[in-house]
Amino acid sequence: MADGYTFSIPNIMGIDSIDDIARAILKTAPDHFVMAGMSAGVSIALAVVQRLIGDNRLHRLEKIILIAGNPFGTSPQKQQYFDCQKNFVAEYGIEQYAKQVLIKNVANPHQIDVNISQKIIHMATTFTPESFEKHTHMLKTRPCYTDTLKRIPCPLLAISGADDKLCPPTLHDTMATLAQNGTHITLQNTGHYINLENPTALNTHMRTFLDT
């Protein structure tokens, strides 16, 4: 994906408000851009859209890609789940959290590729206890973006993993249906970590969407 495209990835580590993250992204974004978000990044991408709508500058967004995410707000039950995650990390550490919790979100955790498991652990251990707590707070307090999706006029691509337990394909059907020009693609034998489990298919679909 690197050839032919310029990527802008601002440092948002430690920010615990989705709206503040959206504001930080727009500070460095070019006048016209494509937005992509994965997992929690889907909520962040939609927060950027919401801010563009509020500023009457939605024309800046040319296309949007939403991967393995959830457009809905966090329910009370899910808030309790995030509290349990935070408590687990506080007691056992982030590496054990990655090994015992995060790895279970792949398509087949009993036959996980060692390379993928190592990448998941490495990804998790970039968090400090403080930044993980802020990340959890951000997830607990995220709003619902269904109304925002309805106002997106540009092409939208939602990509899901068929075996994603955290953000199943039905959520991506919803995103694609609510958007004015949405498409949903599901990748088979793929869990939540689409970029690690099925990177070739992900890149192929993203490039096709961008080049169309």
Side-chain angles (χ1 to χ4, degrees), residues 47-194:
V48 169
V49 174
Q50 192 172 67
R51 180 158 287 278
L52 288 172
I53 292 172
D55 294 340
N56 197 30
R57 293 178 65 83
L58 192 53
H59 61 276
R60 293 178 60 190
L61 184 67
E62 296 183 350
K63 293 183 179 182
I64 184 168
I65 304 172
L66 305 176
I67 308 162
N70 185 345
F72 296 103
T74 305
S75 67
Q77 293 84 359
K78 198 67 173 179
Q79 289 177 354
Q80 292 179 351
Y81 169 75
F82 288 131
D83 284 335
C84 290
Q85 285 187 323
K86 183 177 68 175
N87 294 337
F88 185 99
V89 169
E91 184 170 355
Y92 300 105
I94 193 74
E95 185 171 342
Q96 285 303 312
Y97 170 72
K99 291 178 178 178
Q100 297 187 36
V101 178
L102 295 183
I103 286 177
K104 293 180 180 178
N105 294 321
V106 300
N108 190 345
H110 302 294
Q111 296 180 2
I112 186 172
D113 182 273
V114 173
N115 185 47
I116 292 176
S117 65
Q118 289 176 342
K119 287 180 178 179
I120 292 172
I121 293 168
H122 174 73
M123 173 188 67
T125 52
T126 60
F127 282 93
T128 64
E130 180 184 27
S131 62
F132 181 80
E133 184 170 349
K134 288 183 177 181
H135 178 73
T136 303
H137 175 76
M138 179 194 72
L139 294 176
K140 282 180 60 178
T141 57
R142 62 183 169 188
C144 179
Y145 291 104
T146 52
D147 287 342
T148 301
L149 281 160
K150 295 175 184 178
R151 300 183 65 179
I152 299 176
C154 68
L156 177 150
L157 175 63
I159 303 177
S160 64
D163 301 308
D164 188 345
K165 305 175 189 68
L166 288 179
C167 301
T170 52
L171 295 178
H172 301 75
D173 278 335
T174 297
M175 290 190 280
T177 301
L178 288 174
Q180 297 174 32
N181 186 11
T183 302
H184 172 211
I185 293 172
T186 298
L187 304 184
Q188 299 301 314
N189 302 312
T190 306
H192 186 64
Y193 305 107
I194 295 176

Side-chain angles (χ1 to χ4, degrees), residues 3-23:
D3 58 308
Y5 300 95
T6 300
F7 290 85
S8 176
I9 308 175
N11 182 8
I12 59 174
M13 185 68 77
I15 304 177
D16 63 356
S17 161
I18 288 183
D19 191 54
D20 286 345
I21 293 174
R23 188 180 293 110

